[in-house]
Amino acid sequence: MHTLNRILQAGKLVPALEQALHARYSVHRLADEPDPAAFLVEHGAQFDAVVTSAAIGLPAQHLAALPSVKVISSFGVGLDKVPVEEAKARGIAVGYTPDVLNDCVADTAFALLLDVARRTAEADRFVRAGQWARLGSNSFGLGRKVSGARMGNSFGLGRKVSGARMGVVGLGRIGQTIARRGLGFDMEVRYHTRRPVAGVPWAHEPSLTELATWCDFLVVITSGVPSTRHLINEEVLNALGPRGFLINVARGTVVDEAALIRALQDGRIAGAGLDVFESEPQVPDALTGMDNVVLLPHIASATHETRQAMGQRVMDNLDAFERTGQLISAAY
Ligand code: NAP
Ligand code: 8YV
């Protein structure tokens, strides 16, 4: 038995999880403290567990001020803000919530892909602005279009998704779920990872640049670790080319955002669908001003069902740790 007497809640959590946590444990919200670092210096020793999220994480210096912590339970699969190595060195268990969000993140990748290719958000803005009505009855909304550019008030054409080529960068739990979605759209799918994945039906492409050259849609879903920083750089974007679209549901750090903006401005790629950004929640004005870009506020896992399942896994990880000393989903 590893009884958890006092839990530190690192920041704001989804209400259902916060309720369940407070109903079951004695919890202190660090975010209520005017000076969290000073609070931890004085009171850090009383906590034996931390609950956080992929978005909030836990600064390594906060963990250093928590000498009695035995377990960290994080809401989310990304561990880029959680000090896993420091925890490991101290024998602290780290729980997270993989798998339960695969479907929703993959669905969001496809929502972005379909939206940027078929221009649905852009078309919605067109209708709301009254531009369709102003076209008159003779136009039937058909575009006087040249390669995607809007002419006059007509809306124009998008790009066909079914049967297109999709390159998936990162073929882990979510990447494989995205690749399977491609089958439903009769897409040809290839992927890039550092090591080929055994037992999957998709071709491994050892060169990311080659994959970008080959595909119509490059979907990024690697982890946001230091080795993936700016993996999608100028060279990869140039390889993707003026008919290629970039989709990023991984982390903002994986894409060189300045290079992406330049490529979009120069028409060196066709468009982008982005759920994550380098300095989120700040999104560069250069992106918000572009019609061939779809922007989401990091909502890939944000459905009632998935957030409920993620919250449940946070609780189940704590429960399993108390009963057995093991986690259901351990980060190392
Ligand atoms: P996972 O199962 O650990 O898969 C990670 C994949 O990334 C693996 O295939 C890995 O393959 C690949 N990878 C790592 N470093 C690479 C590199 N340098 N070059 C190429 N590929 C590399 O993780 P997951 O559960 O699928 O989640 C992936 C990430 O998605 C999370 O870490 C998180 O950051 C992000 N995510 C975002 C949202 C959102 O709301 N937008 C939601 C959930 C997750 P190799 O190691 O063989 O290279
Ligand atoms: C999180 C995510 O839900 O799991 C991840 O890595 O990015 C999202 O699913 C979000 O960051 C809230 O913590």
Side-chain angles (χ1 to χ4, degrees):
M1 282 289 280
H2 298 258
T3 306
L4 300 174
N5 295 308
R6 193 94 169 105
I7 289 187
L8 183 73
Q9 181 185 328
K12 202 169 169 225
L13 298 169
V14 288
L17 172 57
E18 188 150 335
Q19 257 173 28
L21 196 62
H22 286 247
R24 166 90 186 264
Y25 298 103
S26 163
V27 184
H28 187 82
R29 271 188 291 252
L30 188 59
D32 291 344
E33 294 302 326
D35 185 344
F39 171 83
L40 289 180
V41 168
E42 200 170 332
H43 304 283
Q46 64 183 254
F47 299 101
D48 39 31
V50 177
V51 173
T52 188
S53 71
I56 300 159
L58 182 69
Q61 62 270 31
H62 283 187
L63 185 61
L66 294 161
S68 317
V69 159
K70 298 188 285 267
V71 58
I72 299 169
S73 186
S74 183
F75 175 91
V77 68
L79 292 162
D80 37 298
K81 293 186 179 172
V82 178
V84 179
E85 287 311 314
E86 287 84 345
K88 195 173 168 183
R90 283 175 49 190
I92 298 168
V94 180
Y96 68 148
T97 68
D99 294 314
V100 295
L101 40 59
N102 294 352
D103 280 334
C104 281
V105 180
D107 292 351
T108 304
F110 261 84
L112 284 167
L113 190 156
L114 285 161
D115 193 339
V116 73
R118 297 301 311 274
R119 305 169 63 198
T120 51
E122 187 190 351
D124 178 87
R125 292 193 290 274
F126 182 80
V127 173
R128 286 169 198 266
Q131 286 175 270
W132 189 30
R134 282 198 290 276
L135 281 176
S137 55
N138 285 337
S139 75
F140 300 109
L142 293 174
R144 301 184 298 278
K145 283 279 299 179
V146 178
S147 59
R150 184 185 296 168
M151 296 190 57
N153 267 348
S154 71
F155 185 70
L157 307 180
R159 269 288 289 285
K160 184 173 176 183
V161 169
S162 291
R165 291 172 166 184
M166 178 166 67
V168 183
V169 187
L171 200 80
R173 292 166 292 240
I174 302 171
Q176 293 186 34
T177 312
I178 292 172
R180 283 196 296 274
R181 298 282 185 281
L183 292 174
F185 285 88
D186 298 324
M187 287 173 136
E188 198 182 336
V189 177
R190 294 183 187 174
Y191 71 96
H192 169 76
T193 49
R194 289 167 300 180
R195 290 167 295 274
V197 180
V200 298
W202 309 289
H204 179 250
E205 176 50 77
S207 158
L208 175 54
T209 310
E210 287 298 317
L211 184 73
T213 304
W214 170 82
C215 72
D216 303 302
F217 298 95
L218 191 67
V219 181
V220 184
I221 186 62
T222 64
S223 30
V225 287
S227 68
T228 59
R229 188 179 142 73
H230 290 189
L231 194 64
I232 307 299
N233 57 19
E234 195 104 38
E235 182 191 327
V236 174
L237 294 167
N238 286 340
L240 187 56
R243 286 182 53 78
F245 293 89
L246 179 78
I247 309 298
N248 186 11
V249 285
R251 283 290 182 265
T253 52
V254 185
V255 175
D256 180 342
E257 206 164 82
L260 172 65
I261 290 168
R262 287 194 300 275
L264 286 162
Q265 284 169 338
D266 301 348
R268 280 183 280 119
I269 68 166
L274 309 170
D275 183 49
V276 287
F277 302 87
E278 275 202 274
S279 304
E280 60 185 54
Q282 304 309 320
V283 177
D285 291 345
L287 290 176
T288 55
M290 291 177 188
D291 261 339
N292 56 341
V293 171
V294 179
L295 307 166
L296 300 181
H298 200 147
I299 55 160
S301 70
T303 63
H304 292 293
E305 296 82 355
T306 288
R307 289 289 167 89
Q308 163 68 29
M310 291 163 68
Q312 188 62 50
R313 184 60 56 88
V314 169
M315 294 299 291
D316 289 348
N317 273 334
L318 292 173
D319 185 61
F321 183 81
E322 278 200 300
R323 283 186 294 102
T324 68
Q326 304 293 316
L327 297 160
I328 310 243
S329 304
Y332 72 87

